[in-house]
Amino acid sequence: MSKLQSIKGMNDILPDQSPTWQYLESTFRKVVARFAYREIRFPILEHTQLFKRSIGEVTDIVEKEMYSFADRNGDNLSLRPEGTAGCVRAADQHGLLYNQTQRLWYQGPMFRREKPQKGRYRQFQQFGVEAFGMAGPDIDVEILQLGTALWQALALTEYLSLEINNIGSAQDRQRFGAALTAFLEPRAEQLDEDARRRMYTNPLRVLDSKNPAVQEALQGAPELADFVSEESATHYQRLRELLESLGIEYRENPRLVRGLDYYNNCVYEWTTESLGAQGAVCGGGRYDGLVQQLGGRPTLAAGFAIGAERLVLMLDSLDKVAASYRQSVDVYLVAIGDGSTEKSLALATALRGAYPQLRILSHCGGGKYNNQLKRAFASGAALAVILESEAAGSEVVEAARIRRLDDSGETVRVALDAVVATIGEYLTKSEA
Ligand code: ATP
Ligand code: MG
Protein backbone atom coordinates (compact mmCIF):
# COMPACT_ATOMS: atom_id res chain seq x y z
CA MET A 1 0.00 0.00 0.00
CA SER A 2 1.33 3.45 -0.82
CA LYS A 3 2.03 5.82 2.03
CA LEU A 4 -0.22 8.80 2.52
CA GLN A 5 1.31 12.21 1.99
CA SER A 6 0.39 15.59 3.41
CA ILE A 7 -1.98 17.82 1.44
CA LYS A 8 -0.22 19.90 -1.22
CA GLY A 9 0.73 23.30 0.14
CA MET A 10 0.30 22.21 3.78
CA ASN A 11 3.63 21.79 5.50
CA ASP A 12 4.93 19.86 8.45
CA ILE A 13 7.27 21.79 10.70
CA LEU A 14 9.95 19.33 11.79
CA PRO A 15 12.00 19.51 15.00
CA ASP A 16 15.02 20.94 13.15
CA GLN A 17 12.85 23.78 11.86
CA SER A 18 10.96 24.55 15.04
CA PRO A 19 13.70 26.62 16.72
CA THR A 20 13.14 29.36 14.13
CA TRP A 21 9.40 29.22 14.76
CA GLN A 22 9.87 29.34 18.51
CA TYR A 23 12.24 32.26 18.19
CA LEU A 24 9.79 34.15 15.96
CA GLU A 25 6.79 33.37 18.15
CA SER A 26 8.48 34.33 21.39
CA THR A 27 9.87 37.54 19.89
CA PHE A 28 6.43 38.48 18.57
CA ARG A 29 4.86 37.83 21.98
CA LYS A 30 7.47 39.97 23.71
CA VAL A 31 6.98 42.86 21.32
CA VAL A 32 3.15 42.90 21.47
CA ALA A 33 3.38 42.75 25.26
CA ARG A 34 5.61 45.86 25.23
CA PHE A 35 2.82 47.62 23.35
CA ALA A 36 0.19 46.40 25.83
CA TYR A 37 -1.75 44.35 23.25
CA ARG A 38 -3.74 41.40 24.58
CA GLU A 39 -4.22 38.02 22.99
CA ILE A 40 -7.50 36.86 21.49
CA ARG A 41 -8.15 33.35 20.17
CA PHE A 42 -11.04 32.49 17.90
CA PRO A 43 -12.03 29.39 15.92
CA ILE A 44 -10.39 28.19 12.74
CA LEU A 45 -13.80 27.34 11.31
CA GLU A 46 -16.50 29.99 10.85
CA HIS A 47 -19.70 30.45 8.87
CA THR A 48 -18.77 31.07 5.23
CA GLN A 49 -21.00 34.13 5.31
CA LEU A 50 -18.59 35.86 7.70
CA PHE A 51 -15.82 35.87 5.11
CA LYS A 52 -18.12 36.70 2.20
CA ARG A 53 -19.44 39.75 4.03
CA SER A 54 -16.06 40.98 5.24
CA ILE A 55 -13.41 40.11 2.67
CA GLY A 56 -15.87 40.70 -0.20
CA GLU A 57 -17.71 38.42 -2.63
CA VAL A 58 -15.60 39.56 -5.57
CA THR A 59 -12.12 38.91 -4.23
CA ASP A 60 -9.68 36.14 -5.12
CA ILE A 61 -9.93 34.78 -1.61
CA VAL A 62 -13.71 34.37 -1.56
CA GLU A 63 -14.17 33.54 -5.24
CA LYS A 64 -11.65 30.78 -5.52
CA GLU A 65 -9.40 30.24 -2.52
CA MET A 66 -11.55 29.29 0.45
CA TYR A 67 -11.86 25.77 1.79
CA SER A 68 -15.63 25.66 2.19
CA PHE A 69 -17.96 22.77 2.83
CA ALA A 70 -21.45 21.99 3.99
CA ASP A 71 -21.59 20.73 7.55
CA ARG A 72 -23.68 17.63 8.25
CA ASN A 73 -26.65 19.84 9.11
CA GLY A 74 -26.29 21.87 5.94
CA ASP A 75 -24.50 24.92 7.44
CA ASN A 76 -21.93 26.43 5.07
CA LEU A 77 -18.59 26.61 6.84
CA SER A 78 -15.12 27.75 5.80
CA LEU A 79 -11.62 27.41 7.14
CA ARG A 80 -10.53 30.94 7.94
CA PRO A 81 -8.45 32.50 5.14
CA GLU A 82 -7.35 35.38 7.40
CA GLY A 83 -7.83 36.56 10.97
CA THR A 84 -9.48 39.97 10.97
CA ALA A 85 -13.01 38.74 10.19
CA GLY A 86 -12.99 36.18 13.01
CA CYS A 87 -11.40 38.65 15.41
CA VAL A 88 -14.11 41.22 14.73
CA ARG A 89 -16.85 38.60 14.97
CA ALA A 90 -15.53 37.35 18.32
CA ALA A 91 -14.84 40.79 19.79
CA ASP A 92 -18.28 42.09 18.81
CA GLN A 93 -20.14 38.95 19.85
CA HIS A 94 -18.68 39.28 23.35
CA GLY A 95 -19.24 43.00 23.71
CA LEU A 96 -15.59 44.07 23.54
CA LEU A 97 -16.19 46.79 20.99
CA TYR A 98 -18.99 48.99 22.27
CA ASN A 99 -17.87 52.24 23.86
CA GLN A 100 -14.32 51.15 24.56
CA THR A 101 -10.95 50.72 22.96
CA GLN A 102 -9.20 47.41 22.42
CA ARG A 103 -5.70 46.45 21.40
CA LEU A 104 -5.63 42.77 20.44
CA TRP A 105 -3.28 40.25 18.86
CA TYR A 106 -3.70 36.76 17.50
CA GLN A 107 -1.67 34.03 15.95
CA GLY A 108 -2.61 30.90 14.07
CA PRO A 109 -3.08 28.98 10.85
CA MET A 110 -4.96 30.40 7.85
CA PHE A 111 -6.09 28.51 4.75
CA ARG A 112 -6.18 29.62 1.12
CA ARG A 113 -6.28 27.33 -1.88
CA GLU A 114 -3.59 29.17 -3.83
CA LYS A 115 -0.93 27.73 -6.12
CA PRO A 116 1.76 26.55 -3.73
CA GLN A 117 5.24 27.99 -4.26
CA LYS A 118 8.06 29.33 -2.13
CA GLY A 119 6.47 31.65 0.45
CA ARG A 120 2.93 30.81 -0.66
CA TYR A 121 1.15 27.87 0.91
CA ARG A 122 -2.36 26.55 1.42
CA GLN A 123 -1.98 26.45 5.19
CA PHE A 124 0.11 29.27 6.56
CA GLN A 125 0.54 31.09 9.85
CA GLN A 126 -0.29 34.68 10.51
CA PHE A 127 0.47 36.95 13.43
CA GLY A 128 -1.93 39.86 13.56
CA VAL A 129 -2.79 42.90 15.62
CA GLU A 130 -6.12 44.74 15.62
CA ALA A 131 -7.00 47.98 17.39
CA PHE A 132 -10.60 49.11 17.88
CA GLY A 133 -12.30 52.34 18.85
CA MET A 134 -9.60 54.84 17.84
CA ALA A 135 -9.79 57.27 14.94
CA GLY A 136 -6.11 57.59 14.23
CA PRO A 137 -3.78 58.43 12.74
CA ASP A 138 -1.99 58.07 16.09
CA ILE A 139 -3.17 54.47 16.47
CA ASP A 140 -2.18 53.73 12.87
CA VAL A 141 1.27 55.02 13.67
CA GLU A 142 1.38 52.98 16.88
CA ILE A 143 0.68 49.85 14.84
CA LEU A 144 3.45 50.79 12.43
CA GLN A 145 5.74 51.38 15.42
CA LEU A 146 4.88 47.88 16.60
CA GLY A 147 5.87 46.41 13.24
CA THR A 148 9.05 48.45 13.27
CA ALA A 149 9.89 47.22 16.77
CA LEU A 150 9.37 43.62 15.67
CA TRP A 151 11.74 43.95 12.71
CA GLN A 152 14.25 45.54 15.04
CA ALA A 153 13.95 42.74 17.58
CA LEU A 154 14.46 40.19 14.78
CA ALA A 155 17.40 42.15 13.28
CA LEU A 156 15.54 42.32 9.95
CA THR A 157 15.13 46.10 9.68
CA GLU A 158 17.60 46.55 6.84
CA TYR A 159 15.85 43.93 4.69
CA LEU A 160 12.33 45.36 4.90
CA SER A 161 10.74 48.46 3.49
CA LEU A 162 7.42 50.04 4.28
CA GLU A 163 5.03 51.16 1.54
CA ILE A 164 1.94 53.18 2.30
CA ASN A 165 -1.06 54.45 0.36
CA ASN A 166 -4.33 56.22 0.95
CA ILE A 167 -7.24 54.34 -0.62
CA GLY A 168 -9.94 56.70 0.69
CA SER A 169 -13.43 55.74 1.77
CA ALA A 170 -15.69 53.12 0.16
CA GLN A 171 -17.57 55.93 -1.62
CA ASP A 172 -14.30 57.47 -2.86
CA ARG A 173 -13.28 54.12 -4.27
CA GLN A 174 -16.65 53.63 -5.91
CA ARG A 175 -16.26 56.90 -7.81
CA PHE A 176 -12.67 56.07 -8.65
CA GLY A 177 -13.62 52.54 -9.72
CA ALA A 178 -16.18 53.91 -12.17
CA ALA A 179 -13.56 56.24 -13.65
CA LEU A 180 -11.07 53.38 -13.86
CA THR A 181 -13.57 51.13 -15.63
CA ALA A 182 -14.27 53.90 -18.12
CA PHE A 183 -10.52 54.26 -18.70
CA LEU A 184 -9.92 50.54 -19.13
CA GLU A 185 -12.89 49.69 -21.37
CA PRO A 186 -11.32 51.05 -24.58
CA ARG A 187 -8.06 49.27 -23.62
CA ALA A 188 -9.70 45.90 -22.89
CA GLU A 189 -7.64 44.15 -25.57
CA GLN A 190 -4.41 44.95 -23.74
CA LEU A 191 -5.69 43.30 -20.56
CA ASP A 192 -5.50 39.66 -19.56
CA GLU A 193 -8.59 37.61 -18.84
CA ASP A 194 -8.44 38.26 -15.10
CA ALA A 195 -8.15 42.01 -15.53
CA ARG A 196 -10.97 42.10 -18.11
CA ARG A 197 -13.27 40.48 -15.59
CA ARG A 198 -12.03 42.60 -12.68
CA MET A 199 -12.45 45.75 -14.74
CA TYR A 200 -16.17 45.47 -14.02
CA THR A 201 -16.40 43.47 -10.81
CA ASN A 202 -13.52 45.01 -8.81
CA PRO A 203 -11.58 47.51 -10.93
CA LEU A 204 -9.15 48.45 -8.14
CA ARG A 205 -7.73 44.96 -8.21
CA VAL A 206 -6.57 45.59 -11.77
CA LEU A 207 -4.05 48.06 -10.28
CA ASP A 208 -2.57 45.22 -8.28
CA SER A 209 -1.96 42.99 -11.32
CA LYS A 210 1.51 41.52 -11.58
CA ASN A 211 1.19 41.15 -15.37
CA PRO A 212 3.51 43.70 -17.09
CA ALA A 213 1.08 44.02 -20.04
CA VAL A 214 -1.68 45.04 -17.66
CA GLN A 215 0.62 47.49 -15.89
CA GLU A 216 1.47 48.91 -19.32
CA ALA A 217 -2.24 49.39 -20.11
CA LEU A 218 -2.60 51.31 -16.85
CA GLN A 219 -0.24 54.08 -18.00
CA GLY A 220 -2.09 57.36 -17.66
CA ALA A 221 -4.98 55.80 -15.72
CA PRO A 222 -6.89 57.98 -13.23
CA GLU A 223 -5.14 58.27 -9.87
CA LEU A 224 -6.94 57.23 -6.69
CA ALA A 225 -5.38 60.20 -4.90
CA ASP A 226 -7.53 62.54 -7.01
CA PHE A 227 -10.69 60.88 -5.77
CA VAL A 228 -10.14 60.70 -2.02
CA SER A 229 -12.16 62.98 0.23
CA GLU A 230 -10.52 65.84 2.07
CA GLU A 231 -11.06 64.13 5.42
CA SER A 232 -9.21 61.07 4.23
CA ALA A 233 -6.42 63.15 2.70
CA THR A 234 -5.97 65.02 5.99
CA HIS A 235 -5.72 61.78 7.93
CA TYR A 236 -3.09 60.51 5.52
CA GLN A 237 -1.14 63.76 5.62
CA ARG A 238 -1.02 63.65 9.42
CA LEU A 239 0.03 60.00 9.33
CA ARG A 240 3.00 60.87 7.13
CA GLU A 241 3.96 63.77 9.40
CA LEU A 242 3.92 61.50 12.44
CA LEU A 243 5.99 58.84 10.68
CA GLU A 244 8.52 61.45 9.70
CA SER A 245 8.71 62.91 13.20
CA LEU A 246 9.44 59.42 14.51
CA GLY A 247 12.00 58.62 11.85
CA ILE A 248 10.00 55.68 10.48
CA GLU A 249 10.99 55.37 6.84
CA TYR A 250 8.33 54.73 4.21
CA ARG A 251 7.69 54.96 0.50
CA GLU A 252 4.40 56.06 -1.00
CA ASN A 253 3.00 53.59 -3.52
CA PRO A 254 -0.13 54.93 -5.24
CA ARG A 255 -0.78 51.47 -6.74
CA LEU A 256 -0.90 49.72 -3.37
CA VAL A 257 -4.37 48.25 -2.85
CA ARG A 258 -5.20 45.32 -0.64
CA GLY A 259 -6.78 42.04 -1.70
CA LEU A 260 -9.50 42.40 0.93
CA ASP A 261 -12.37 44.81 0.43
CA TYR A 262 -12.77 46.03 3.99
CA TYR A 263 -9.85 48.45 4.08
CA ASN A 264 -10.20 52.24 3.93
CA ASN A 265 -7.95 55.31 4.23
CA CYS A 266 -4.39 54.31 4.97
CA VAL A 267 -3.11 50.90 3.90
CA TYR A 268 0.44 49.63 4.09
CA GLU A 269 2.71 46.73 3.38
CA TRP A 270 6.20 45.72 4.43
CA THR A 271 8.06 43.98 1.64
CA THR A 272 11.46 42.42 1.18
CA GLU A 273 13.64 41.81 -1.83
CA SER A 274 15.21 38.78 -0.22
CA LEU A 275 12.38 36.31 -0.93
CA GLY A 276 11.85 36.62 -4.69
CA ALA A 277 8.28 36.90 -5.91
CA GLN A 278 6.57 36.51 -2.53
CA GLY A 279 7.98 39.72 -1.08
CA ALA A 280 5.11 40.91 1.13
CA VAL A 281 5.65 39.93 4.76
CA CYS A 282 3.07 42.16 6.43
CA GLY A 283 -0.02 43.96 5.22
CA GLY A 284 -2.65 46.08 6.90
CA GLY A 285 -4.48 49.33 7.28
CA ARG A 286 -7.71 50.84 8.58
CA TYR A 287 -11.05 49.09 8.24
CA ASP A 288 -13.55 51.47 9.86
CA GLY A 289 -16.59 50.04 8.08
CA LEU A 290 -16.11 46.36 8.84
CA VAL A 291 -17.71 46.03 12.28
CA GLN A 292 -20.91 47.64 11.04
CA GLN A 293 -20.79 45.63 7.84
CA LEU A 294 -20.84 42.52 10.01
CA GLY A 295 -23.86 43.75 11.95
CA GLY A 296 -22.17 45.58 14.82
CA ARG A 297 -22.29 49.24 15.78
CA PRO A 298 -20.00 51.56 13.79
CA THR A 299 -16.52 50.99 15.24
CA LEU A 300 -13.22 52.51 14.19
CA ALA A 301 -10.61 49.87 13.50
CA ALA A 302 -7.11 49.22 12.19
CA GLY A 303 -4.64 46.38 12.08
CA PHE A 304 -2.15 44.27 10.18
CA ALA A 305 -1.26 40.64 9.54
CA ILE A 306 2.19 39.14 9.18
CA GLY A 307 2.98 36.06 7.11
CA ALA A 308 5.08 33.91 9.43
CA GLU A 309 6.45 31.47 6.81
CA ARG A 310 8.01 34.33 4.89
CA LEU A 311 9.70 35.63 8.03
CA VAL A 312 10.91 32.14 8.85
CA LEU A 313 12.43 31.89 5.35
CA MET A 314 14.18 35.21 5.93
CA LEU A 315 15.42 34.36 9.41
CA ASP A 316 16.85 31.05 8.20
CA SER A 317 18.45 32.29 5.01
CA LEU A 318 19.96 35.30 6.80
CA ASP A 319 21.00 33.11 9.73
CA LYS A 320 19.34 35.33 12.32
CA VAL A 321 18.23 32.75 14.86
CA ALA A 322 20.17 32.84 18.12
CA ALA A 323 22.27 29.70 18.63
CA SER A 324 20.65 29.10 22.01
CA TYR A 325 17.39 28.33 20.20
CA ARG A 326 19.09 25.60 18.18
CA GLN A 327 20.51 23.91 21.27
CA SER A 328 18.28 20.99 22.22
CA VAL A 329 20.35 19.10 24.82
CA ASP A 330 22.75 20.49 27.45
CA VAL A 331 23.64 17.46 29.55
CA TYR A 332 23.55 13.85 28.31
CA LEU A 333 23.38 11.09 30.91
CA VAL A 334 25.14 7.85 29.94
CA ALA A 335 24.30 4.76 32.00
CA ILE A 336 26.32 1.57 31.67
CA GLY A 337 25.19 -1.63 33.37
CA ASP A 338 22.04 -2.59 35.27
CA GLY A 339 22.84 -0.86 38.53
CA SER A 340 23.34 2.48 36.88
CA THR A 341 19.87 2.84 35.31
CA GLU A 342 18.05 3.73 38.51
CA LYS A 343 20.86 6.01 39.72
CA SER A 344 21.03 7.79 36.38
CA LEU A 345 17.27 8.40 36.18
CA ALA A 346 17.31 9.72 39.75
CA LEU A 347 20.27 11.96 38.93
CA ALA A 348 18.33 13.35 35.94
CA THR A 349 15.48 14.32 38.27
CA ALA A 350 17.91 16.00 40.65
CA LEU A 351 19.60 17.94 37.85
CA ARG A 352 16.27 19.06 36.37
CA GLY A 353 15.20 20.27 39.81
CA ALA A 354 18.44 22.13 40.48
CA TYR A 355 18.87 23.71 37.02
CA PRO A 356 15.47 24.14 35.39
CA GLN A 357 17.02 26.07 32.49
CA LEU A 358 19.06 23.02 31.40
CA ARG A 359 17.88 20.39 28.94
CA ILE A 360 18.76 17.04 30.48
CA LEU A 361 18.60 13.90 28.35
CA SER A 362 18.78 10.42 29.90
CA HIS A 363 20.05 7.81 27.49
CA CYS A 364 17.36 5.14 27.34
CA GLY A 365 17.44 1.68 25.88
CA GLY A 366 20.87 0.63 27.09
CA GLY A 367 23.75 -0.12 24.76
CA LYS A 368 27.52 -0.19 24.86
CA TYR A 369 29.57 2.68 26.24
CA ASN A 370 30.89 3.73 22.82
CA ASN A 371 27.44 3.83 21.30
CA GLN A 372 26.00 5.85 24.13
CA LEU A 373 28.89 8.31 23.99
CA LYS A 374 28.46 8.66 20.23
CA ARG A 375 24.83 9.60 20.82
CA ALA A 376 25.94 12.08 23.48
CA PHE A 377 28.25 13.82 20.98
CA ALA A 378 25.59 13.79 18.27
CA SER A 379 23.07 15.40 20.61
CA GLY A 380 25.07 18.61 20.74
CA ALA A 381 25.21 18.50 24.55
CA ALA A 382 28.13 20.28 26.24
CA LEU A 383 28.54 17.69 29.00
CA ALA A 384 28.10 13.97 29.46
CA VAL A 385 27.60 12.43 32.89
CA ILE A 386 28.65 8.80 32.80
CA LEU A 387 27.44 6.34 35.43
CA GLU A 388 28.96 2.90 35.45
CA SER A 389 28.97 0.00 37.89
CA GLU A 390 32.16 -0.27 39.92
CA ALA A 391 32.93 -3.72 38.54
CA ALA A 392 31.54 -6.02 35.92
CA GLY A 393 28.44 -7.75 37.29
CA SER A 394 28.27 -5.39 40.25
CA GLU A 395 25.30 -3.12 40.87
CA VAL A 396 27.24 -0.66 42.94
CA VAL A 397 27.55 2.83 41.45
CA GLU A 398 29.43 5.24 43.68
CA ALA A 399 30.96 7.77 41.34
CA ALA A 400 30.32 9.44 38.02
CA ARG A 401 32.55 10.81 35.31
CA ILE A 402 31.69 14.24 33.96
CA ARG A 403 33.09 14.68 30.50
CA ARG A 404 33.25 17.78 28.35
CA LEU A 405 31.95 16.88 24.91
CA ASP A 406 34.49 19.04 23.11
CA ASP A 407 37.95 18.48 21.68
CA SER A 408 39.54 18.72 25.14
CA GLY A 409 37.67 15.65 26.30
CA GLU A 410 38.40 16.88 29.87
CA THR A 411 36.95 14.38 32.32
CA VAL A 412 36.62 14.49 36.10
CA ARG A 413 35.54 11.75 38.44
CA VAL A 414 33.28 12.82 41.31
CA ALA A 415 31.29 11.03 43.98
CA LEU A 416 27.69 10.44 42.98
CA ASP A 417 26.35 12.85 45.57
CA ALA A 418 28.62 15.62 44.27
CA VAL A 419 27.47 15.51 40.64
CA VAL A 420 24.75 18.16 40.99
CA ALA A 421 27.11 20.66 42.63
CA THR A 422 29.88 19.97 40.12
CA ILE A 423 27.57 20.58 37.15
CA GLY A 424 26.77 23.90 38.83
CA GLU A 425 30.48 24.78 38.83
CA TYR A 426 30.71 24.00 35.12
CA LEU A 427 27.75 26.29 34.52
CA THR A 428 29.29 29.25 36.37
CA LYS A 429 32.55 28.67 34.50
CA SER A 430 30.84 28.67 31.09
CA GLU A 431 28.82 31.77 31.96
CA ALA A 432 31.95 33.68 32.98
P1 ATP B 1 0.18 38.34 -1.36
O1 ATP B 1 0.19 39.64 -2.10
O2 ATP B 1 1.55 37.80 -1.12
O3 ATP B 1 -0.75 37.35 -1.95
P2 ATP B 1 -1.92 39.12 0.45
O4 ATP B 1 -2.12 40.55 0.17
O5 ATP B 1 -2.85 38.13 -0.10
O6 ATP B 1 -0.39 38.69 0.11
P3 ATP B 1 -2.78 39.39 3.20
O7 ATP B 1 -4.10 38.81 3.01
O8 ATP B 1 -2.66 40.85 3.41
O9 ATP B 1 -1.82 38.91 2.01
O10 ATP B 1 -2.04 38.62 4.39
C1 ATP B 1 -0.98 39.21 5.13
C2 ATP B 1 0.32 38.45 4.95
O11 ATP B 1 0.10 37.05 5.03
C3 ATP B 1 0.98 38.64 3.59
O12 ATP B 1 1.73 39.81 3.58
C4 ATP B 1 1.85 37.41 3.50
O13 ATP B 1 3.08 37.61 4.19
C5 ATP B 1 1.05 36.37 4.21
N1 ATP B 1 0.37 35.47 3.26
C6 ATP B 1 -0.76 35.71 2.55
N2 ATP B 1 -1.09 34.64 1.81
C7 ATP B 1 -0.16 33.67 2.07
C8 ATP B 1 0.05 32.33 1.63
N3 ATP B 1 -0.79 31.74 0.79
N4 ATP B 1 1.11 31.65 2.11
C9 ATP B 1 1.97 32.23 2.98
N5 ATP B 1 1.83 33.48 3.44
C10 ATP B 1 0.78 34.21 2.99
MG1 MG C 1 -2.79 36.93 -1.81
Side-chain angles (χ1 to χ4, degrees):
M1 235 201 295
S2 64
K3 271 190 208 167
L4 290 173
Q5 301 283 315
S6 64
I7 298 167
K8 196 171 149 196
M10 303 201 176
N11 299 319
D12 303 306
I13 296 170
L14 303 178
D16 278 349
Q17 302 164 312
S18 40
T20 311
W21 284 91
Q22 289 172 353
Y23 173 64
L24 178 58
E25 284 163 3
S26 75
T27 308
F28 178 77
R29 280 163 192 266
K30 278 181 213 155
V31 171
V32 288
R34 277 179 215 145
F35 281 75
Y37 282 58
R38 298 185 302 152
E39 185 180 8
I40 182 165
R41 302 188 190 198
F42 40 87
I44 286 169
L45 212 50
E46 298 270 3
H47 290 286
T48 300
Q49 205 51 32
L50 174 69
F51 303 116
K52 286 193 173 172
R53 268 164 66 179
S54 54
I55 297 166
E57 298 259 8
V58 195
T59 55
D60 284 347
I61 294 177
V62 170
E63 273 184 345
K64 50 188 187 196
E65 295 174 358
M66 282 207 297
Y67 285 93
S68 303
F69 63 94
D71 198 358
R72 287 168 197 275
N73 65 357
D75 286 352
N76 289 313
L77 307 181
S78 293
L79 289 170
R80 61 186 186 191
E82 57 103 51
T84 302
C87 179
V88 166
R89 199 268 313 133
D92 193 42
Q93 181 174 333
H94 300 286
L96 305 189
L97 300 183
Y98 181 57
N99 234 351
Q100 54 198 308
T101 60
Q102 292 289 351
R103 288 174 169 81
L104 307 175
W105 68 267
Y106 63 83
Q107 177 206 334
M110 307 296 162
F111 302 84
R112 297 183 194 175
R113 201 172 190 290
E114 304 196 69
K115 188 165 161 248
Q117 49 199 295
K118 184 185 170 198
R120 191 177 295 287
Y121 311 103
R122 290 182 170 177
Q123 174 173 337
F124 59 99
Q125 290 267 342
Q126 284 186 338
F127 299 115
V129 300
E130 315 288 2
F132 297 100
M134 290 161 276
D138 46 5
I139 187 64
D140 306 309
V141 172
E142 176 183 283
I143 291 170
L144 293 169
Q145 282 180 304
L146 194 158
T148 305
L150 180 63
W151 316 139
Q152 240 153 32
L154 295 169
L156 292 178
T157 307
E158 62 181 296
Y159 306 96
L160 291 167
S161 45
L162 173 63
E163 291 186 352
I164 64 172
N165 191 24
N166 181 12
I167 61 166
S169 67
Q171 294 95 304
D172 298 342
R173 285 200 301 288
Q174 211 151 34
R175 287 192 301 122
F176 169 67
L180 194 58
T181 307
F183 173 87
L184 288 171
E185 265 180 329
R187 294 168 176 79
E189 283 189 6
Q190 290 166 257
L191 303 178
D192 57 22
E193 195 188 323
D194 243 13
R196 263 199 295 275
R197 190 166 40 91
R198 291 268 182 266
M199 170 170 83
Y200 297 107
T201 55
N202 195 350
L204 265 80
R205 286 297 282 165
V206 179
L207 296 180
D208 205 24
S209 169
K210 278 158 189 138
N211 183 345
V214 174
Q215 285 299 332
E216 182 69 19
L218 283 165
Q219 292 289 328
E223 298 275 338
L224 183 49
D226 297 329
F227 289 78
V228 302
S229 65
E230 197 173 316
E231 194 192 343
S232 178
T234 309
H235 183 108
Y236 188 59
Q237 173 62 25
R238 185 74 187 126
L239 173 86
R240 284 177 301 174
E241 284 168 13
L242 286 171
L243 290 178
E244 269 150 44
S245 77
L246 292 162
I248 297 178
E249 284 176 35
Y250 66 88
R251 195 176 75 82
E252 282 186 79
N253 175 2
R255 292 269 160 90
L256 178 66
V257 292
R258 314 284 356 276
L260 304 92
D261 281 352
Y262 50 65
Y263 286 107
N264 70 288
N265 286 356
C266 57
V267 295
Y268 38 82
E269 223 168 68
W270 265 286
T271 56
T272 181
E273 314 243 293
S274 71
L275 287 179
Q278 269 55 252
V281 302
C282 176
R286 294 200 67 86
Y287 50 95
D288 297 311
L290 181 58
V291 179
Q292 192 176 20
Q293 207 172 304
L294 291 176
R297 291 189 177 85
T299 305
L300 300 161
F304 70 47
I306 293 171
E309 280 76 5
R310 297 184 190 178
L311 280 181
V312 164
L313 285 167
M314 286 182 79
L315 290 167
D316 281 340
S317 67
L318 297 164
D319 201 13
K320 294 288 186 191
V321 181
S324 60
Y325 276 85
R326 304 237 170 260
Q327 187 78 12
S328 55
V329 184
D330 297 303
V331 179
Y332 195 107
L333 302 191
V334 171
I336 313 292
D338 284 346
S340 62
T341 302
E342 202 181 316
K343 295 263 165 41
S344 185
L345 289 170
L347 179 60
T349 301
L351 285 169
R352 289 182 190 119
Y355 313 113
Q357 77 279 23
L358 291 187
R359 285 148 289 206
I360 312 287
L361 190 149
S362 291
H363 181 95
C364 293
K368 294 207 174 77
Y369 174 75
N370 279 345
N371 275 338
Q372 291 198 33
L373 200 65
K374 218 188 271 171
R375 297 280 186 92
F377 273 107
S379 76
L383 296 172
V385 179
I386 301 149
L387 297 197
E388 199 168 357
S389 321
E390 292 302 304
S394 149
E395 299 219 339
V396 183
V397 180
E398 278 171 348
R401 280 178 292 146
I402 300 175
R403 173 175 173 153
R404 279 193 195 278
L405 295 171
D406 58 10
D407 292 342
S408 78
E410 182 193 307
T411 305
V412 295
R413 194 181 146 87
V414 298
L416 209 48
D417 58 10
V419 172
V420 172
T422 312
I423 295 284
E425 287 164 25
Y426 275 83
L427 283 180
T428 16
K429 257 189 265 173
S430 64
E431 271 160 21

